[in-house]
Amino acid sequence: MSFESLLFQAVNGFASASGLFLVAAGLSIIFGVTRIVNMAHGSFYMLGLYLAVTLAPLLGEVFGGALGFWGGIFGAALVTAALGALVEIVLLRRIYAAPELYQLLATFALLLIINDAALYFWGPEDILGPRAPGLSGSVELLGRRLPEYDIFLAVIGPLVLLALHLILTRTRFGRLVRAATQDREMVAALGINEAALFTAVFALGTGIAGFGGALQMAREPANLALDLSVLGDAFVVVVVGGMGSIRGAYLAALLVAEVKALCTALGLVEIGGYAFNMSRLTLVAEFLVMAVVLVVRPHGLFGRPQPVQARRGEAEAPLMPLDRRGRLIALAVLVFFAGVPLLGAFISYAPVLALDMLIAALFAASLHLLMGPGGLASFGHAAYFGLGAYGTAYAATVLGLPTPLALAVGIATAAAGAMLFGWFCVRLEGVYFAMLTLAFAQIVWSIAHQSEEVTGGSNGLFGVWPDPPFDSANGLYLAALAITVIGVVLIRRLVFSPFGLALRASRDSRLRAEASGIAVEKVRWLAFALAGLLCGAAGGLFAFAKGSISPEAISVGRSIDGLVMVLLGGVHSLMGPLIGAGGLTLLQDMVMRESPYWRGLLGLLILAIVLLFPSGLAGGLRRMRRTS
C-alpha cells in the first residue's frame, strides 16, 4: 500500500466525516438540552433525503437545474425542522414528566411510524436523486479521481461546525442552549420559557439531520433502511465526542471516518503469516473506536459527567414479594402454559407461538435484571442471546454433543462473553454504559458475520435440531417452559436476596452504596454475568426452536426488541418483562399478518401504551387495582 493511496483515502474520509457530523450534531444538541435519547433521529435524516429527491426535480422544472437541486436540499431541511417542531409539540411535551427510558420507547415508536409513512408515500424501492449541477465531475488527486461533490461535502462539515459555534457562543439562543445543557432545572427556575426552548432545539436538531440527509442526494439513493443504519453511527459519534459537545462530535466523526478509510486503504495485510482483509473492519470500525475511547475516557473525548437531574415520573414503590393473589395468578398462568400442548391438538399453531413467548420472556427477564434492580439500560443484550445460540448450534452440529450438553455449552459461552464485556461496561454510567454494550454487541455481530469457518458467516448454521425426547414440538416446548420458569424464579430469588438489595442500593445511589461498604462494580459485574447467562439460555432455546441461527440473532433490532419488551411491561415490576414479552410477541404476530404497514401500526400501539401507561402495562394494572 503506497503512501499516496493512504493519503487519498484520508482526504476522501473528510467527505464521510461531514455526513456523520451533520446527523450527529443535531442529536447531540437535542440530548444536551432535553436529555432525550431520540431513537427517531435517523428517521429525520432519512426524511431529508426522501424530501430532497422529491423536491429537487419539482423545483428544477420551475427554476432550473441548479436552483432546483439546492432549493430541494434547503427545502427538505426546512420541512424536517418543521416536522421536528410538530413532533416536539404534539408528542414529546406530553412525556417530559415520564421516566427517560419511556421517552426512548416513545421515540422508537415514532421511528416505526415514520418508516412506514415513508413506505406508504414513496414505496419500497430505492429512489435516485439528480446529480449536483456544476459538481458532477471529478478532479485528479495523487493519481486518482476524486468526485468534486465529495470535496464540497468535506468543506461543508467545518462550515456547519463554525456556524453552530457562532450560534451557540454569540447569540442569546445559544447561551440558553448551553445553560440548559449544563443545568436545565436552573434555567427553568430563572423563568426561561422551557417549552419554546425545547421546541426550537428539537427543530434545529432535526433540521440539521434533514440537511445532512438531503446533501447525500447526489451520493446515494433514498431507502427505508437509512434510519437505523444512520442512527447507530450518529450515536457512536455523539458518545465518542462527548454528549452535548459539538466540537467533539465533529472530531469523533472525523476519527471514525478516517479509521474506516484507513481500513479500506490497507486492504489485505499479512500479520504473523496470516492474511487478514482489513476492509472487513469497516463493518464495525466505528464500534471498535467507541469501545476503545469509552474504556480510556468514560465520558468521551470532550464530554463531562452529566449533572444529576431531578428524578422524573412517579416515585418507585419498593419491590415486594407476591401476595396470595399474585401467587394464585402466577400459578394460573403456569397451569395455562403447561396445558398448551393439549391446546395444540385443536390449534396447531398454539405451541409454536407459546414457545416464542417463552423464549422472549426469558430474554426480557434477563435484561430486566440489569434495567430494573440494576438501573443499567443495555443496548446490546442481543450479544449474549447470539452467543448462547451460536454456542449451542456449534456444539450440537459440529461437536455432536447431546441436546442438554449443547445447551450448557451455549449458556457457558454467553456467560463468558458477559463476564468479559461486563468487566469494562460496569465502570460506566447512563448512556455511556448503554453505548458500550452496543459497541460490544456489534463487535460480536461482526465476528459472527465474517467467521465463516466457525459460524457459517452470513448464512449461519443449519440443522440445529434437538435429540429425543426434545425433538417433538411438545417435548421442546415443555423443556423451554421448565428452563424459563427456573430462570424467572432464580431472578426473583436474587432480587430479594442480600445481593439483590445491594444491586438496588447501587442503582439508587452509587455514592451512598460505596460509603456503606458495597463493592458496586463487583455487584454490577456479577449481575451483568448472570443476565448474560440467562440470556444465553434463551438464545440456545431459540436455536433449537428454529433449527438454525444467523447473525440476525445478534442484530441491533433484537436488542431493541428486548428494550421494548421490558419497557412495555414496566421496568419497575418483576412481572413487567413477562407481560411485555408476551404482549409484544402477540402484537408482532397479529399485526404482521394484518397489514404490510405493521411497523407503523405497532408503533401506534406502543405510543398509545406509553401515553396511557407511562409506567408500563404492569404499572398501569397495579394502578387500576389500587383504584378499584
Side-chain angles (χ1 to χ4, degrees), residues 258-396:
E258 292 299 341
V259 168
K260 282 191 171 186
L262 178 63
C263 291
T264 302
L266 290 175
L268 193 66
V269 298
E270 187 171 327
I271 304 175
Y274 175 76
F276 182 75
N277 190 352
M278 292 294 292
S279 60
R280 289 184 174 185
L281 290 180
T282 56
L283 290 174
V284 72
E286 61 267 46
F287 295 99
L288 286 170
V289 170
M290 182 169 67
V292 172
V293 169
L294 289 184
V295 168
V296 177
R297 291 185 62 85
H299 297 100
L301 296 176
F302 294 94
R304 290 176 289 183
Q306 295 294 330
V308 178
Q309 303 291 331
R311 193 182 183 103
R312 301 183 193 178
E314 298 177 357
E316 180 186 345
L319 292 174
M320 300 294 291
L322 289 176
D323 55 16
R324 184 173 180 273
R325 183 178 177 181
R327 288 193 293 270
L328 288 176
I329 293 175
L331 180 61
V333 172
L334 180 59
V335 170
F336 171 80
F337 274 93
V340 165
L342 300 177
L343 184 62
F346 305 96
I347 307 175
S348 59
Y349 186 57
V352 177
L353 180 59
L355 178 58
D356 288 342
M357 293 174 68
L358 289 176
I359 294 172
L362 186 56
F363 176 47
S366 66
L367 176 58
H368 180 262
L369 178 61
L370 289 177
M371 292 181 62
L376 302 169
S378 172
F379 285 7
H381 204 57
Y384 316 107
F385 187 89
L387 286 172
Y390 270 106
T392 299
Y394 187 84

Side-chain angles (χ1 to χ4, degrees), residues 237-599:
V237 169
V238 170
V239 169
V240 170
M243 300 297 288
S245 172
I246 303 299
R247 175 184 57 173
Y250 180 75
L251 291 179
L254 190 60
L255 175 62
V256 168
E258 292 299 341
V259 168
K260 282 191 171 186
L262 178 63
C263 291
T264 302
L266 290 175
L268 193 66
V269 298
E270 187 171 327
I271 304 175
Y274 175 76
F276 182 75
N277 190 352
M278 292 294 292
S279 60
R280 289 184 174 185
L281 290 180
T282 56
L283 290 174
V284 72
E286 61 267 46
F287 295 99
L288 286 170
V289 170
M290 182 169 67
V292 172
V293 169
L294 289 184
V295 168
V296 177
R297 291 185 62 85
H299 297 100
L301 296 176
F302 294 94
R304 290 176 289 183
Q306 295 294 330
V308 178
Q309 303 291 331
R311 193 182 183 103
R312 301 183 193 178
E314 298 177 357
E316 180 186 345
L319 292 174
M320 300 294 291
L322 289 176
D323 55 16
R324 184 173 180 273
R325 183 178 177 181
R327 288 193 293 270
L328 288 176
I329 293 175
L331 180 61
V333 172
L334 180 59
V335 170
F336 171 80
F337 274 93
V340 165
L342 300 177
L343 184 62
F346 305 96
I347 307 175
S348 59
Y349 186 57
V352 177
L353 180 59
L355 178 58
D356 288 342
M357 293 174 68
L358 289 176
I359 294 172
L362 186 56
F363 176 47
S366 66
L367 176 58
H368 180 262
L369 178 61
L370 289 177
M371 292 181 62
L376 302 169
S378 172
F379 285 7
H381 204 57
Y384 316 107
F385 187 89
L387 286 172
Y390 270 106
T392 299
Y394 187 84
T397 58
V398 179
L399 301 181
L401 297 180
T403 297
L405 286 180
L407 182 60
V409 169
I411 294 173
T413 303
M419 290 183 68
L420 173 62
F421 298 145
W423 191 83
F424 297 99
C425 292
V426 296
R427 288 162 169 74
L428 277 62
E429 301 278 352
V431 71
Y432 295 101
F433 169 87
M435 293 307 297
L436 187 56
T437 61
L438 175 61
F440 284 132
Q442 288 302 101
I443 291 170
V444 172
W445 173 84
S446 177
I447 293 172
H449 192 272
Q450 299 181 39
S451 302
E452 296 185 5
E453 301 82 3
V454 178
T455 65
S458 59
N459 294 322
L461 298 174
F462 296 90
V464 191
W465 302 114
D467 302 324
F470 309 108
D471 56 342
S472 66
N474 290 341
L476 181 61
Y477 171 78
L478 291 175
L481 177 61
I483 292 172
T484 302
V485 170
I486 292 172
V488 171
V489 171
L490 175 62
I491 290 174
R492 292 193 67 88
R493 293 279 186 178
L494 286 172
V495 168
F496 293 110
S497 69
F499 166 77
L501 296 176
L503 182 62
R504 282 187 274 169
S506 303
R507 172 201 65 189
D508 294 337
S509 176
R510 176 170 185 153
L511 292 177
R512 292 181 181 178
E514 289 176 340
S516 301
I518 296 174
V520 171
E521 288 186 1
K522 289 184 179 179
V523 169
R524 289 180 172 178
W525 186 34
L526 181 56
F528 200 101
L530 290 170
L533 183 149
L534 294 170
C535 188
L541 291 173
F542 177 85
F544 282 130
K546 305 304 178 184
S548 63
I549 184 67
S550 69
E552 183 186 1
I554 320 178
S555 66
V556 175
R558 189 168 297 277
S559 292
I560 292 176
D561 282 347
L563 287 167
V564 173
M565 291 174 194
V566 173
L567 295 173
L568 270 183
V571 73
H572 299 315
S573 168
L574 293 177
M575 298 301 295
L578 308 182
I579 297 173
L584 183 63
T585 304
L586 283 173
L587 282 175
Q588 288 178 330
D589 181 74
M590 292 186 297
V591 174
M592 285 178 66
R593 289 184 293 173
E594 292 297 327
S595 170
Y597 304 105
W598 64 270
R599 293 179 184 84

Side-chain angles (χ1 to χ4, degrees), residues 139-315:
V139 297
E140 185 173 346
L141 178 66
L142 301 174
R144 298 192 180 192
R145 307 300 298 182
L146 184 66
E148 292 175 344
Y149 194 73
D150 284 4
I151 299 174
F152 167 76
L153 290 180
V155 175
I156 280 291
L159 289 178
V160 173
L161 173 63
L162 177 61
L164 287 175
H165 174 75
L166 293 176
I167 290 173
L168 294 176
T169 57
R170 302 293 179 86
T171 67
R172 182 176 184 274
F173 171 73
R175 289 192 292 271
L176 291 178
V177 169
R178 288 187 290 122
T181 302
Q182 297 298 320
D183 194 332
R184 191 175 59 188
E185 279 71 27
M186 182 59 70
V187 169
L190 292 174
I192 303 300
N193 188 339
E194 265 194 317
L197 177 63
F198 284 13
T199 302
V201 165
F202 208 84
L204 175 63
T206 53
I208 294 173
F211 180 63
L215 282 173
Q216 300 303 311
M217 176 169 51
R219 298 187 79 202
E220 61 178 315
N223 65 84
L224 296 172
L226 275 175
D227 49 3
L228 277 178
S229 62
V230 167
L231 181 66
D233 290 342
F235 274 127
V236 168
V237 169
V238 170
V239 169
V240 170
M243 300 297 288
S245 172
I246 303 299
R247 175 184 57 173
Y250 180 75
L251 291 179
L254 190 60
L255 175 62
V256 168
E258 292 299 341
V259 168
K260 282 191 171 186
L262 178 63
C263 291
T264 302
L266 290 175
L268 193 66
V269 298
E270 187 171 327
I271 304 175
Y274 175 76
F276 182 75
N277 190 352
M278 292 294 292
S279 60
R280 289 184 174 185
L281 290 180
T282 56
L283 290 174
V284 72
E286 61 267 46
F287 295 99
L288 286 170
V289 170
M290 182 169 67
V292 172
V293 169
L294 289 184
V295 168
V296 177
R297 291 185 62 85
H299 297 100
L301 296 176
F302 294 94
R304 290 176 289 183
Q306 295 294 330
V308 178
Q309 303 291 331
R311 193 182 183 103
R312 301 183 193 178
E314 298 177 357

